[in-house]
Amino acid sequence: MEKTIDEKKQGQSLVLEQKEGNTKKLYIESYGCAMNFSDSEIVASILTNEGYNTTTILEEADLVLVNTCSIRDKAEQTVRKRLEKYNAVKRINPGMKVGVLGCMAERLKTQFLEEEKIVDMVVGPDAYKDLPNLLKEVEEGRDAINVILSKDETYGDISPVRLMSNGVTALVSITRGCDNMCTFCVVPFTRGRERSREPQSIIAEIQDLWDKGFKEITLLGQNVDSYLWYGGGLKKDFSNATAMQKATAVDFDQLLEMVAVGFPKMRIRFSTSNPQDMHESVLHVIAKHPNVCNHIHLPVQSGSNRILKEMNRLHTREEYMKLIDNIRRILPNTSISQDMIAGFPTETEEDHQDTLSLMDYVKYNFGYMYSYSERPGTLAGRKMKDDVSEEVKAKRLQEIVDLQQKHAWLRSQEFVGQTVEVLIEKISKKSKEEFSGRNSQSITVVFPRENYKIGDFVNVKIESCTSGTLIGNAVGFSNMN
């Protein structure tokens, strides 16, 4: 029998799923991409069956796990600082065990056990089902490690424990790994080759969420648009599939249609899209179904064709702009967000200006912008000199951020005077008298609470805005309720 414990954090009601009879405490922290947070829910589910319930109090934990990210050096340094904190706690509670999960675990492997004496266990992203065996190794006084990458593991048979859930929104993983060998990215090395999850297991997970009262899901993957189920196996092996497998294969637009039709009152998002793999058919599915959100996260990384080629991004500036034009034509009310890297090796001022001009062309609603960080093991790390100075990187990044702020303000102003549908997700951080949620375009909206509650779909008339937030007043329930 399961029960829930309400926790208060950051102005919202959060839920930790607990299982009666479990006596051990698991504390888990996640860093990096949404996939890591989704994976942590899988880990919590596996360990629930090993007698662990999750806790938000580090000091009372029997097992501490940190799910790590290797996408940038800063993320790795954050994890190392957290390990120092765990070490301080472990001196007080020597029985506490510490494990490192995720991409950093796979990349550094035994180095963690050798250098970070506090670490008892190192587990890669495809080895979480081996956690019970690894814990036995640890309990018997031995270090434990499993970082073997899988060709077919998707965790589709595991029902995730929703960690710190608001009971309204949830992540649903549909693919793992990536076949796009971008020269700056460690994902293909830390998460392996791309494989897709069986559609019916995805539908079953969404049904379970719907039955529990969730109102919005995000279909999640490193590259959702390349989703392809043909009976299992790596996507790269699809050419060797049987005629029957090819005839009955399910791609992303078909999966999105299945989910939209099957759950007409569930709001649906997806992330992340790769420009080379996003087909017009997906745009038509979004246009057809009002419960599929009008937001596309479309990382471009650079506006320079020369740098895109150096990055091994399999699209050009012109192809990206054509895709943007198609999105605007088919989905005129859709928001578009970006990922951008400043200071990639050999980037000139002319390349940088190409990035700024592309941003001017698109005018993104929001974005995620970073300075280039050399990642060991990547092609860029092995073959390219990190020859753009940190001062120049910082200058170019600030110019990108400033321009994005300008565009975000312009895009936010477009909503003033409009009435938008909002799913209430939490109490506003700035005022307990206001609710916060997102509209279909994934823009944050705040408004007075009145008699509404978390989980309601409401129509909100937008009265004013900042560059990142819409401010208004609720005018009634929407027809999604």
Side-chain angles (χ1 to χ4, degrees):
M1 179 179 178
E2 292 186 352
K3 60 183 179 180
T4 61
I5 297 176
D6 286 334
E7 301 284 345
K8 296 289 184 180
K9 186 178 181 183
Q10 293 183 350
Q12 60 178 308
S13 178
L14 300 169
V15 175
L16 289 174
E17 294 184 19
Q18 306 286 295
K19 186 175 182 180
E20 288 186 357
N22 283 1
T23 58
K24 292 179 283 188
K25 297 292 186 180
L26 165 67
Y27 179 91
I28 186 166
E29 286 187 359
S30 302
Y31 295 90
C33 68
M35 183 65 75
N36 270 6
F37 288 82
S38 177
D39 280 358
S40 291
E41 295 182 337
I42 291 169
V43 168
S45 179
I46 292 169
L47 293 180
T48 294
N49 296 326
E50 299 299 312
Y52 287 88
N53 279 337
T54 51
T55 178
T56 59
I57 303 172
L58 172 63
E59 289 74 13
E60 72 176 22
D62 300 291
L63 175 63
V64 175
L65 299 176
V66 56
N67 200 341
T68 62
C69 174
S70 278
I71 198 70
R72 286 176 299 279
D73 181 66
K74 183 178 179 181
E76 292 196 357
Q77 294 308 315
T78 298
V79 169
R80 292 190 184 278
K81 288 180 180 179
R82 290 305 292 162
L83 288 175
E84 293 175 6
K85 170 66 175 178
Y86 303 157
N87 196 24
V89 175
K90 197 171 184 179
R91 285 196 292 268
I92 300 171
N93 177 15
M96 185 181 82
K97 304 300 181 185
V98 176
V100 176
L101 311 178
C103 296
M104 196 174 169
E106 201 288 329
R107 190 179 78 77
L108 296 177
K109 302 179 175 68
T110 56
Q111 196 173 329
F112 261 120
L113 297 175
E114 295 166 357
E115 295 181 1
E116 305 285 350
K117 301 303 182 182
I118 180 180
V119 175
D120 304 291
M121 182 168 56
V122 179
V123 190
D126 289 349
Y128 298 144
K129 285 184 179 178
D130 196 33
L131 276 166
N133 295 325
L134 296 173
L135 281 170
K136 289 178 183 177
E137 293 283 312
V138 171
E139 288 166 2
E140 292 172 3
R142 295 187 292 274
D143 292 334
I145 182 170
N146 187 339
V147 292
I148 296 173
L149 292 176
S150 170
K151 293 182 179 180
D152 50 21
E153 181 60 76
T154 63
Y155 300 110
D157 58 337
I158 295 176
S159 178
V161 167
R162 304 298 165 178
L163 294 173
M164 305 301 289
S165 170
N166 59 8
V168 175
T169 63
L171 304 171
V172 178
S173 174
I174 67 170
T175 71
R176 297 186 72 81
C178 185
D179 288 346
N180 297 320
M181 301 294 289
C182 299
T183 59
F184 57 82
C185 186
V186 297
V187 168
F189 307 105
T190 58
R191 289 188 172 272
R193 302 304 296 268
E194 186 174 304
R195 63 271 191 198
S196 297
R197 181 178 169 189
E198 196 271 326
Q200 289 309 315
S201 75
I202 296 171
I203 298 297
E205 182 176 339
I206 298 171
Q207 182 66 59
D208 180 63
L209 289 166
W210 176 255
D211 293 342
K212 290 177 178 177
F214 284 78
K215 301 294 183 70
E216 178 184 289
I217 54 102
T218 299
L219 302 177
L220 192 65
Q222 259 76 36
N223 185 11
V224 291
D225 292 89
S226 62
Y227 174 91
L228 181 66
W229 172 262
Y230 62 96
L234 300 177
K235 184 186 175 183
K236 72 181 182 66
D237 294 332
F238 180 63
S239 59
N240 299 322
T242 66
M244 178 62 73
Q245 286 177 316
K246 290 181 178 180
T248 58
V250 177
D251 60 16
F252 182 60
D253 63 285
Q254 292 170 312
L255 176 68
L256 190 59
E257 179 98 24
M258 289 168 59
V259 176
V261 171
F263 302 92
K265 294 292 186 179
M266 178 80 86
R267 186 188 261 185
I268 303 158
R269 301 186 186 276
F270 59 87
S271 185
T272 294
S273 294
N274 191 301
Q276 74 196 51
D277 294 308
M278 172 161 268
H279 302 295
E280 193 171 303
S281 55
V282 172
L283 306 180
H284 288 294
V285 173
I286 300 171
K288 180 179 178 182
H289 298 285
N291 58 327
V292 181
C293 289
N294 286 305
H295 168 235
I296 297 174
H297 184 56
L298 199 64
V300 64
Q301 310 300 358
S302 174
S304 162
N305 277 335
R306 191 184 68 81
I307 294 298
L308 288 172
K309 186 174 182 180
E310 292 291 322
M311 290 177 166
N312 196 36
R313 298 289 287 177
L314 301 181
H315 62 84
T316 65
R317 170 191 178 93
E318 291 74 23
E319 288 167 341
Y320 186 88
M321 293 167 73
K322 182 178 179 181
L323 176 56
I324 294 294
D325 291 343
N326 284 335
I327 293 171
R328 300 289 190 212
R329 173 175 55 85
I330 298 169
L331 300 165
N333 295 319
T334 289
S335 64
I336 302 173
S337 53
Q338 47 87 348
D339 286 352
M340 205 74 76
I341 296 174
F344 189 79
T346 76
E347 183 186 74
T348 65
E349 182 62 25
E350 182 180 358
D351 295 321
H352 173 59
Q353 291 301 320
D354 284 345
T355 292
L356 298 180
S357 69
L358 178 68
M359 292 179 68
D360 273 326
Y361 184 84
V362 180
K363 293 182 174 60
Y364 296 99
N365 293 77
F366 55 94
Y368 306 91
M369 297 145 286
Y370 314 96
S371 294
Y372 172 73
S373 174
E374 183 180 289
R375 299 285 73 213
T378 62
L379 186 61
R382 288 185 284 115
K383 301 288 187 180
M384 301 178 188
K385 183 180 178 181
D386 187 4
D387 59 355
V388 180
S389 71
E390 293 304 315
E391 292 78 11
V392 171
K393 285 181 186 177
K395 173 181 176 293
R396 290 176 183 171
L397 177 61
Q398 191 59 56
E399 289 177 2
I400 290 171
V401 170
D402 289 345
L403 186 57
Q404 180 54 62
Q405 280 285 97
K406 174 184 174 182
H407 292 158
W409 171 253
L410 291 173
R411 291 300 186 190
S412 291
Q413 285 183 309
E414 293 175 349
F415 287 99
V416 175
Q418 293 187 28
T419 297
V420 300
E421 182 184 76
V422 178
L423 172 59
I424 302 175
E425 298 179 27
K426 59 187 178 182
I427 297 169
S428 172
K429 292 180 181 180
K430 292 187 176 180
S431 172
K432 293 183 179 180
E433 302 305 314
E434 292 182 327
F435 274 136
S436 174
R438 288 176 296 166
N439 64 1
S440 178
Q441 290 78 14
S442 202
I443 309 299
T444 297
V445 181
V446 297
F447 57 95
R449 290 176 63 170
E450 298 183 15
N451 295 320
Y452 301 104
K453 64 182 186 298
I454 292 174
D456 284 342
F457 284 98
V458 296
N459 291 321
V460 178
K461 185 172 183 182
I462 305 304
E463 308 290 348
S464 62
C465 69
T466 68
S467 62
T469 303
L470 306 179
I471 304 162
N473 291 286
V475 295
F477 290 104
S478 84
N479 59 13
M480 281 287 285
N481 287 290

